[in-house]
Amino acid sequence: AQKVTQAQTEISVVEKEDVTLDCVYETRDTTYYLFWYKQPPSGELVFLIRRNSFDEQNEISGRYSWNFQKSTSSFNFTITASQVVDSAVYFCALSEVPIQGAQKLVFGQGTRLTINP
Amino acid sequence: NAGVMQNPRHLVRRRGQEARLRCSPMKGHSHVYWYRQLPEEGLKFMVYLQKENIIDESGMPKERFSAEFPKEGPSILRIQQVVRGDSAAYFCASSPKTYTGELFFGEGSRLTVL
């Protein structure tokens, strides 16, 4: 069975600090996909990144970066120079390679990030 | 450039009533997923549908819940005889027929059962 664990329930930092959100996953599949989504206070889900299991290169997008380490089954997310607008709940998710187009995501419990001015 | 549209955004029902949640996928998308987010929890898969077909309903509660995606019109998630434990945010996501790796989520429908 697939499982995603986000051990940090809540994180609170002061603006401009760097913050890392941890994500550890379990799967028996050799090919799978990992995702991060942001859920701001307004409630919608915003897609941030998708990474497949064959691509272990770290990725950077502006102030966001992701560290995928297959050896430790982790897919951590770092926000550099955090801003108040980064305050949200962040979800890590895992999916197997879809069969017949079915892509079922398994979500972690989420990490509530609060950036204080 | 409409995204996934869900309505109503907020719905209040009394115990025993029925709740109907609607989802219009993005233009050109023929696959719809429903996820449920209980308070303070992550999202959990409920059902996956293509037009006129339920492909995978392994996450749907066995009773009171049903989903459809008719040839014309939005996908409907129907909850009969609601109970307080059904209070949650229900998210719809859509994807195109050809897998692209991203699920596009709607803004969610928040059901409150009094």
Side-chain angles (χ1 to χ4, degrees):
Chain A
Q2 298 181 325
K3 184 179 177 183
V4 175
T5 301
Q6 295 179 255
Q8 305 149 307
T9 306
E10 293 190 31
I11 299 176
S12 180
V13 300
V14 177
E15 201 172 16
K16 297 183 184 176
E17 286 186 17
D18 298 348
V19 58
T20 295
L21 309 181
D22 298 332
C23 173
V24 174
Y25 62 91
E26 297 175 28
T27 181
R28 292 180 185 173
D29 297 328
T30 55
T31 304
Y32 49 88
Y33 296 94
L34 295 162
F35 303 77
W36 276 94
Y37 283 87
K38 173 181 179 180
Q39 187 175 41
S42 49
E44 72 272 24
L45 276 173
V46 179
F47 169 84
L48 296 178
I49 190 172
R50 178 191 75 127
R51 178 52 52 94
N52 75 54
S53 53
F54 292 118
D55 183 2
E56 289 194 67
Q57 280 192 337
N58 291 334
E59 181 154 342
I60 298 174
S61 176
R63 296 183 296 105
Y64 294 172
S65 62
W66 290 269
N67 183 350
F68 176 30
Q69 293 201 352
K70 212 167 178 178
S71 59
T72 56
S73 297
S74 65
F75 187 43
N76 297 336
F77 172 33
T78 298
I79 301 175
T80 304
S82 59
Q83 299 176 1
V84 173
V85 293
D86 296 327
S87 296
V89 179
Y90 290 86
F91 290 99
C92 181
L94 165 73
S95 82
E96 60 192 8
V97 174
I99 299 172
Q100 292 186 326
Q103 182 182 339
K104 294 160 59 173
L105 269 62
V106 175
F107 283 81
Q109 295 288 86
T111 297
R112 182 177 300 277
L113 176 64
T114 302
I115 311 297
N116 299 299
Chain B
N1 185 22
V4 178
M5 304 299 292
Q6 289 188 247
N7 67 82
R9 291 291 311 279
H10 299 275
L11 182 64
V12 178
R13 286 287 179 264
R14 297 190 181 281
R15 280 179 297 172
Q17 291 184 320
E18 178 178 289
R20 284 190 181 223
L21 309 177
R22 289 176 291 278
C23 169
S24 297
M26 285 183 71
K27 189 176 180 180
H29 286 191
S30 56
H31 298 190
V32 165
Y33 301 76
W34 285 94
Y35 283 77
R36 178 166 67 173
Q37 183 181 26
L38 294 171
E40 305 301 322
E41 292 188 14
L43 282 76
K44 287 189 167 48
F45 168 81
M46 298 181 74
V47 62
Y48 162 59
L49 309 102
Q50 297 176 12
K51 283 284 187 181
E52 300 184 280
N53 282 307
I54 297 174
I55 307 300
D56 184 338
E57 56 181 346
S58 57
M60 287 275 273
K62 293 289 185 284
E63 297 177 348
R64 303 186 297 106
F65 284 72
S66 62
E68 61 177 15
F69 189 16
K71 188 176 181 181
E72 301 290 339
S75 175
I76 306 285
L77 179 67
R78 182 183 178 202
I79 311 171
Q80 295 178 287
Q81 299 176 318
V82 296
V83 301
R84 290 226 172 99
D86 298 332
S87 295
Y90 293 83
F91 285 90
C92 173
S94 72
S95 66
K97 183 177 181 180
T98 302
Y99 176 67
T100 61
E102 182 182 344
L103 276 184
F104 296 84
F105 281 88
E107 294 185 324
S109 292
R110 278 149 186 84
L111 171 65
T112 301
V113 179
L114 302 178

